[in-house]
Amino acid sequence: GQSVELPNLEGALKMFQTIHMSVETSSKKFLQATGRNVYVTPTSFLELLTSFVGILADKRNQVGMLQHRYSVGLGKIGDAEEQVAGLQQMLVEKKPVLEKTQKEVSEMMVVITKDKAEAEEVSKA
């Protein structure tokens, strides 16, 4: 069979024994009440354990997949954080150049406006 590791394996086995025994008791009560027999066999107990192992494996796979997605998501957030930091640094580095260019453009606009006014005066004359 499959090997199952649980934090409290003995407690889990005890729980399954209790479930199995309570089903046996309930089946006897059912027989008395309805006259219909429900058989609870050692195979039933093994099927209960097998079902549990299957469900446990499915849940562990599901949790593992979610854990992987979470880890990948954290990695992507970390990468984005690094990119943002790099872009902020680039912005800080280029800010003086941008301010200088804006100043030059402003000065050039003054010159262009002056030249345009002179050109209009010349064309009017």
Side-chain angles (χ1 to χ4, degrees):
Q2 290 178 308
S3 155
V4 177
E5 289 185 28
L6 292 172
N8 184 2
L9 184 61
E10 289 301 316
L13 291 176
K14 191 75 171 161
M15 177 190 67
F16 285 121
Q17 288 172 349
T18 303
I19 291 171
H20 185 71
M21 289 168 37
S22 71
V23 169
E24 280 183 341
T25 304
S26 295
S27 70
K28 288 175 186 171
K29 289 180 185 175
F30 185 76
L31 176 61
Q32 290 173 352
T34 64
R36 292 176 51 200
N37 203 353
V38 176
Y39 296 100
V40 181
T41 64
T43 304
S44 304
F45 181 71
L46 294 176
E47 287 174 356
L48 174 67
L49 293 177
T50 302
S51 297
F52 174 76
V53 168
I55 291 169
L56 181 65
D58 289 345
K59 287 296 176 183
R60 284 183 173 168
N61 286 338
Q62 190 178 32
V63 167
M65 184 179 66
L66 291 173
Q67 191 175 23
H68 175 72
R69 284 183 183 170
Y70 180 76
S71 178
V72 168
L74 280 177
K76 289 191 184 287
I77 288 172
D79 292 346
E81 198 173 29
E82 287 177 20
Q83 287 179 345
V84 166
L87 291 172
Q88 284 177 329
Q89 181 62 34
M90 188 186 314
L91 184 63
V92 167
E93 291 170 0
K94 291 188 176 189
K95 190 173 182 178
V97 174
L98 179 61
E99 288 173 351
K100 180 183 173 209
T101 305
Q102 281 179 331
K103 184 179 176 189
E104 290 173 356
V105 167
S106 295
E107 291 170 357
M108 198 177 293
M109 285 301 292
V110 169
V111 172
I112 290 172
T113 305
K114 181 181 169 194
D115 288 350
K116 187 177 176 183
E118 288 175 4
E120 284 179 10
E121 284 180 28
V122 170
S123 65
K124 285 182 184 176

